[in-house]
Amino acid sequence: AVKVSRDINWRNFWICFSIASGQIGFGYPSSIIGVTLGQPSFLLYMGLIDEQGVEAPNAASLIGSMNGVFQVTTHHSVKWTPKLTVGKAGAVFGALASSWTNDRFGRKAAIRFCAALSIVGGTILCASQDVGMFIAFGFLLAREVGGFYPSVSHLLFEVTAE
């Protein structure tokens, strides 16, 4: 029979709980983009529609690109463009770079680095003046999300093993 220990290491529990709660940073950019792209005021500000609500000629592909920065899949009505892979490329780059960062500087430093990128990328993304800036800093935010996944997973495994 396997003996189950009822002792709980509360320090490790709260560390894991805090780190896992911080993963809200993963889902927030993905959840907010759908609401943002549905706001006429945002579309007007970015020049994707005019005052009468008529779409710009390239609006569908730009909206798809903006959505693609955050989403793994896009809506079937949006035509595929090379820009749709920007977010995926950012996440892949972040995941690959996190391997080196984790080994070189440690898990906590890698998570701090991703958190700093998240703050900078999210702040500038919110202040975007045009679609190009939105997509570029969406890449930075996607890099953060891609880097967080392996770093947090490794740190949680190491902390729970204590």
Side-chain angles (χ1 to χ4, degrees), residues 91-110:
V92 168
F93 177 75
L96 294 174
S98 75
S99 173
W100 178 81
T101 308
N102 283 331
D103 290 343
R104 177 80 167 102
F105 302 106
R107 311 302 182 240
K108 288 191 278 186

Side-chain angles (χ1 to χ4, degrees), residues 12-36:
N12 285 353
F13 171 80
W14 287 112
I15 289 171
C16 292
F17 181 80
S18 298
I19 293 170
S21 297
Q23 292 183 1
I24 292 170
F26 301 163
Y28 180 75
S30 295
S31 67
I32 201 70
I33 190 64
V35 175
T36 302

Side-chain angles (χ1 to χ4, degrees), residues 61-62 65-67 69 83 86-87 125 128 130-140:
S61 62
L62 289 175
S65 298
M66 294 165 78
N67 190 34
V69 167
K83 293 178 184 174
V86 169
L125 185 71
S128 294
D130 57 22
V131 175
M133 191 174 177
F134 191 90
I135 292 171
F137 286 97
F139 177 86
L140 184 64

Side-chain angles (χ1 to χ4, degrees), residues 8 20-21 37 47 51 55 78 81 87-88 108 130 137 149 151 161:
I8 295 176
S21 297
L37 290 175
E51 300 284 332
E55 285 189 356
V78 177
T81 66
K88 295 176 201 105
K108 288 191 278 186
D130 57 22
F137 286 97
Y149 282 124
S151 300

